[in-house]
Amino acid sequence: MVFATSAITVAGTGGVPWLTVAGGIPLVGAVAVAFGPARLTRYMTLAFSVVTLGWVIAMATQFKTSGPTFQFTEEYSWIPQFGVHYALGADGIALVLIGMTAVLMPVVVLASWHDADDAKRSPKVYFALMLVLETMMIGVFAATDVFLFYVFFEAMLIPMYFMIGSFGVGARQYAAVKFLLYSLLGGLLMLVAVIALYVYAGQSATTGHHGTFMFYSLAQVALSSTVQKWLFLGFFIAFAIKAPLWPFHTWLPDATASAQPGAAVLMLGVMDKVGTFGMIRYCLELFPDGFHYFTPVILVLCVISIIYGALVAIGQTSMKRLIGYTSISHFGFIVLGIFALTSQGQSGATLYMVNHGFSTGALLLIAGFLIVRRGSDKISDYGGVQKVAPTLAGLFLISGLAGLALPGLSTFVSEFLVLVGTFSRYKVAGAFAVAGIVLAAIYILWMYQRTMNGPVAESVSTMPDLRPRELLAVVPLVALIIAMGVYPKPILDVINPAVQSTMSQVHATDPVPAHPAVAQKGDQP
């Protein structure tokens, strides 16, 4: 049964396949790095990541906030017998996440210059895997065919598995296997839901009684409330593991502690956003009844994630594990904003994804520079670093303050929007979430005090300050943190139309604020 054409359709882009090229550049780079001269491995990786960033910036300039919801669309019949398409497109939410991915990659390459030097495998493998991962991450945000999304969703696990298991530290093989098993379990549940969705689409008159995986078509399929609830669970659990949300989080601290800092940035900063992105794109728009039914339970999980992640972070003795637990708390805020189902919450959650990528990325990279210099991840092995490496300490402080959402820095805007959006509909959940702000101040400032202040520890007395390459990696992230904190409007202008489209798709409106009763004319003096 063939019901799809085999021709390529590229719409609204002047005939330029923007998203395919954006994903193709790092893939070509991975091949070039794998087979190129070893002495040029790092420079080639950096060059291809910078070219990808340039292409994504050029693409972003073509995005029209007043245009169609999905732009840069491409469609090609891939497996016509099953209605599978190679279909790409980006709304404002996907575009900012693709942009975040493209910005982080050259930064990570610069910061990871010597990460693979001591590994048994060749550094060429490490940097080639990094570029392959970039292709997969761009693809997963751009896919508008659910089957294609699933392929990218699963495929991106492989490069990260090897980056942790072969190039990591400590119990890296245990952490890599745990990461893979958790992710595969979630992926299998989602696969069952994807197949069921295809079957139900084949029974629907809106798709011409043909099975399809196209997102636009599936969003129009009428499903019973019971079916929506079961399919929602299949997708949500996969995304909650990826995000991660308590109690599906236990793989993250181990993976963060064992991965090299650059790999940890890609995992926490980009890969985990696929979970929250999927909740907005698929859980909300495809299964609105399931979304509404499970919202009370999920709000409880969000609040637990916020408080639990922060409390456990306070007690950590390892810098990387502490940052891993802080991310569990941050993802609780992001999911809370999504399930508050208000325009402020949705916009704040999306902006939070981007800001978390930059702030946590900067914090992890600077922690990595510390670990390379001292040879230890233990907070207690440091002290007085501010006196011997003031630039490193200063950038570490700004990144940490962004992590606790200090006003004037980027995460404040997104966290404020999430809380406003949550309070307008779920006041109790919003009140509990505020506790996470107080706890964040404790774990960030206490870590800074123990590592950077006080008397200079003998082991760090000769520690050098940041080198030019390291500054080039971190300073752009810190500049973005400050710039987006002062003026977030350009990013929000891109995000808001997509949020309004999502709210319209599920027939949701913002709560009307309660106003005091207006006195009757006759009662006025």
Side-chain angles (χ1 to χ4, degrees):
M1 178 178 64
V2 179
F3 51 86
T5 64
S6 58
I8 295 178
T9 302
V10 182
T13 61
V16 179
W18 288 99
L19 292 168
T20 293
V21 175
I25 293 171
L27 190 60
V28 171
V31 176
V33 167
F35 294 100
R39 69 181 184 278
L40 298 178
T41 292
R42 295 164 180 80
Y43 296 100
M44 292 172 65
T45 307
L46 179 61
F48 276 100
S49 64
V50 170
V51 171
T52 304
L53 174 58
W55 182 266
V56 170
I57 291 172
M59 178 179 71
T61 63
Q62 303 299 309
F63 187 84
K64 297 177 176 60
T65 55
S66 59
T69 302
F70 283 89
Q71 300 177 36
F72 316 117
T73 54
E74 306 169 41
E75 185 179 326
Y76 178 74
S77 181
W78 179 17
I79 310 174
Q81 291 81 1
F82 297 102
V84 178
H85 293 75
Y86 173 79
L88 305 177
D91 62 355
I93 296 171
L95 182 64
V96 297
L97 293 174
I98 291 170
M100 177 194 69
T101 305
V103 168
L104 284 175
M105 186 58 66
V107 165
V108 167
V109 173
L110 277 171
S112 306
W113 211 251
H114 300 294
D115 279 2
D117 288 356
D118 299 329
K120 294 180 180 179
R121 293 177 182 265
S122 167
K124 293 172 67 172
V125 177
Y126 184 73
F127 287 99
L129 288 171
M130 198 177 286
L131 288 171
V132 170
L133 182 60
E134 183 176 17
T135 294
M136 300 302 168
M137 293 186 300
I138 291 173
V140 80
F141 292 129
T144 53
D145 180 282
V146 178
F147 185 85
L148 182 66
F149 171 85
Y150 175 78
V151 170
F152 283 125
F153 183 86
E154 293 288 71
M156 68 181 181
L157 303 177
I158 305 305
M160 183 55 69
Y161 168 78
F162 285 108
M163 289 172 73
I164 297 172
S166 299
F167 297 92
V169 295
R172 62 181 187 272
Q173 293 179 346
Y174 166 79
V177 170
K178 189 174 182 180
F179 159 77
L180 188 64
L181 289 178
Y182 268 68
S183 299
L184 286 177
L185 172 62
L188 288 173
L189 290 174
M190 188 169 72
L191 178 60
V192 173
V194 167
I195 294 171
L197 195 57
Y198 172 82
V199 172
Y200 282 107
Q203 299 171 355
S204 173
T206 58
T207 60
H209 297 287
H210 292 303
T212 181
F213 291 100
M214 289 295 292
F215 172 75
Y216 318 111
S217 301
L218 293 174
Q220 306 303 319
V221 174
L223 300 171
S224 71
S225 179
T226 301
V227 169
Q228 285 196 40
K229 292 172 187 175
W230 283 108
L231 297 185
F232 172 90
L233 279 179
F235 277 83
F236 176 78
I237 293 174
F239 296 144
I241 291 173
K242 182 69 69 182
L245 191 68
W246 186 93
F248 308 101
H249 67 283
T250 57
W251 63 269
L252 181 68
D254 293 326
T256 305
S258 296
Q260 292 287 356
V265 170
L266 295 179
M267 181 177 62
L268 288 174
V270 184
M271 283 184 64
D272 290 355
K273 305 302 184 336
V274 175
T276 46
F277 169 78
M279 290 178 192
I280 297 174
R281 174 62 50 79
Y282 299 102
C283 290
L284 176 55
E285 296 202 36
L286 295 183
F287 318 112
D289 287 356
F291 183 96
H292 289 293
Y293 181 79
F294 288 106
T295 288
V297 175
I298 294 169
L299 292 177
V300 172
L301 299 184
C302 293
V303 170
I304 294 174
S305 289
I306 292 169
I307 297 175
Y308 167 84
L311 286 174
V312 178
I314 292 171
Q316 293 304 303
T317 58
S318 156
M319 276 190 286
K320 285 163 70 178
R321 289 186 75 90
L322 185 151
I323 296 170
Y325 277 108
T326 67
S327 291
I328 295 170
S329 183
H330 291 312
F331 277 106
F333 273 108
I334 295 171
V335 180
L336 185 67
I338 294 169
F339 280 80
L341 200 58
T342 59
S343 56
Q344 298 98 328
Q346 297 269 322
S347 296
T350 304
L351 186 62
Y352 210 135
M353 292 186 223
V354 178
N355 292 334
H356 175 267
F358 294 150
S359 61
T360 301
L363 201 59
L364 269 171
L365 293 181
I366 298 172
F369 298 152
L370 278 171
I371 293 166
V372 168
R373 285 161 166 73
R374 173 63 180 82
S376 172
D377 182 35
K378 299 295 182 185
I379 295 173
S380 58
D381 288 339
Y382 296 85
V385 173
Q386 185 180 17
K387 295 182 177 66
V388 296
T391 304
L392 185 153
L395 293 175
F396 191 76
L397 177 61
I398 295 173
S399 304
L401 292 176
L404 61 83
L406 184 77
L409 300 178
S410 58
T411 44
F412 170 76
V413 181
S414 44
E415 198 163 283
F416 180 77
L417 284 172
V418 166
L419 289 174
V420 168
T422 303
F423 267 112
S424 64
R425 197 183 292 274
Y426 302 106
K427 292 180 174 56
V428 174
F432 276 106
V434 170
I437 301 174
V438 178
L439 296 173
I442 296 174
Y443 61 66
I444 289 294
L445 295 178
W446 194 27
M447 176 175 66
Y448 183 83
Q449 181 188 38
R450 287 180 289 171
T451 54
M452 302 296 163
N453 293 342
V456 179
E458 183 179 349
S459 57
V460 304
S461 59
T462 59
M463 178 179 289
D465 213 337
L466 291 181
R467 301 177 178 90
R469 172 182 57 81
E470 296 167 332
L471 281 170
L472 193 58
V474 176
V475 167
L477 291 184
V478 174
L480 280 170
I481 289 169
I482 296 171
M484 292 175 63
V486 174
Y487 191 59
K489 184 177 183 296
I491 305 296
L492 286 171
D493 285 346
V494 174
I495 293 170
N496 287 337
V499 168
Q500 294 303 325
S501 175
T502 301
M503 297 281 287
S504 175
Q505 174 72 21
V506 298
H507 308 292
T509 56
D510 289 330
V512 178
H515 294 285
V518 179
Q520 295 295 324
K521 184 176 181 180
D523 298 331
Q524 294 180 3

